[in-house]
Amino acid sequence: MFSLRYSRMSALKEIGIDGLEILQKSTVSIIGIGATGSSAADLFVRNGIGNMRIADPDSVDISNIHRQSLYDENDVGDLKVEAARKRLVSSNKGTSIEVLPQKINDDNVDRFCKGSSIIIDGSDNMETRRVLNSYSVTSGIPWVFTSAIGTVGQIKLIVPGKTACLQCINVRFDSPEMRCEDVGVLASAPYITGSLAWTLAVNYLIRGKLIDEIIYLDAGVPEIVHVKTQRDHSCQMCGNIP
Ligand SMILES: [Zn+2]
């Protein structure tokens, strides 16, 4: 059924034919399709995810091209979600792709993400992450938090009721944020961050594998550090989940 196309995946004991079948039946929602989101989305589509939804309100800017792998010079000025869909379809016509050229907020998150197998945070702001953290707890849908700026990245798989959520580990959603246009970004940082987010998501979807930790990486060294996290049962967000 999967033939030659996925033969290098199915040969992996961590994936196998049954893993391919799970991915083909799965739906991933990518919230923000900048550099990290592009890296993760590209891997999901090339590796046979069945359904993908992509939300992002922005258009492609020439300053994006050095790190956002789904876009080229011809896409400048076009909506990112449309340019991304065009590129992703050319990699794999077997993935069904829906797009939304809007920012995800408390009002539209359920309409867009409902029924997702997992959500990938490709956003660039803490307000969107607050929305995703809250929605994950109320919907039960797992998500992968990511962040990449400068030379560094962070990744954490969050499964409500099983791992710490962002609030459990005291992430501040209202603290001042650095911006790529001010501090710069080393292109490999979001590439690695997005590909590790894909890896954590696939491991969880196929084998239910989860480790309660946050991964910190510095692409400039390079170095990856794993820091254990744990649920706070008095967490105002997820503490009520048994
Ligand atoms: Zn929590």
Side-chain angles (χ1 to χ4, degrees):
M1 175 182 177
F2 292 106
S3 69
L4 191 57
R5 178 175 192 123
Y6 300 112
S7 57
R8 273 55 169 178
M9 287 175 70
S10 59
L12 279 169
K13 66 179 185 335
E14 292 85 355
I15 294 183
I17 294 290
D18 59 332
L20 294 176
E21 289 174 346
I22 289 169
L23 291 178
Q24 197 159 69
K25 291 174 185 164
S26 296
T27 298
V28 61
S29 292
I30 310 275
I31 308 303
I33 191 86
T36 305
S38 289
S39 168
D42 190 44
L43 287 167
F44 270 112
V45 167
R46 288 178 186 275
N47 288 277
I49 194 78
N51 307 282
M52 176 174 283
R53 302 173 192 162
I54 307 169
D56 195 306
D58 292 342
S59 299
V60 179
D61 186 85
I62 191 68
S63 66
N64 301 147
I65 305 296
H66 84 112
R67 68 189 187 283
Q68 302 191 10
S69 59
L70 293 180
Y71 314 122
D72 60 36
E73 292 175 6
N74 296 318
D75 299 317
V76 171
D78 294 346
L79 281 169
K80 284 187 176 178
V81 292
E82 294 298 349
R85 172 159 56 185
K86 187 173 63 178
R87 174 64 60 86
L88 292 166
V89 165
S90 73
S91 296
N92 192 345
K93 293 179 181 60
T95 300
S96 161
I97 300 177
E98 297 172 49
V99 302
L100 180 73
Q102 290 178 16
K103 186 170 181 176
I104 289 298
N105 55 40
D106 288 319
D107 293 330
N108 64 11
V109 64
D110 183 58
R111 201 161 55 240
F112 187 70
C113 293
K114 193 173 193 170
S116 298
S117 313
I118 199 160
I119 298 167
I120 304 295
D121 163 28
S123 76
D124 60 357
N125 65 88
M126 292 311 294
E127 170 57 16
T128 301
R129 293 171 187 131
R130 180 198 64 74
V131 170
L132 296 180
N133 195 58
S134 170
Y135 179 68
S136 170
V137 169
T138 55
S139 67
I141 298 172
W143 70 296
V144 184
F145 156 71
T146 76
S147 165
I149 192 164
T151 64
V152 302
Q154 302 175 44
I155 311 104
K156 175 167 179 47
L157 171 66
I158 296 171
V159 182
K162 293 186 177 172
T163 70
C165 80
L166 283 194
Q167 196 149 319
C168 287
I169 56 173
N170 296 315
V171 168
R172 292 289 305 269
F173 296 108
D174 58 354
S175 52
E177 297 182 53
M178 293 188 295
R179 301 187 311 166
C180 290
E181 52 263 56
D182 298 326
V183 299
V185 56
L186 185 68
S188 51
Y191 265 72
I192 301 168
T193 300
S195 63
L196 290 181
W198 170 77
T199 304
L200 295 186
V202 166
N203 282 344
Y204 179 72
L205 290 173
I206 292 179
R207 304 278 170 235
K209 181 179 174 184
L210 60 89
I211 301 172
D212 200 345
E213 65 176 11
I214 186 162
I215 298 171
Y216 295 95
L217 65 91
D218 189 331
V221 179
E223 181 178 49
I224 294 180
V225 175
H226 301 254
V227 175
K228 293 267 181 256
T229 51
Q230 62 179 27
R231 289 189 66 200
D232 172 0
H233 288 277
S234 64
C235 172
Q236 291 188 336
M237 185 58 63
C238 74
N240 288 336
I241 303 175

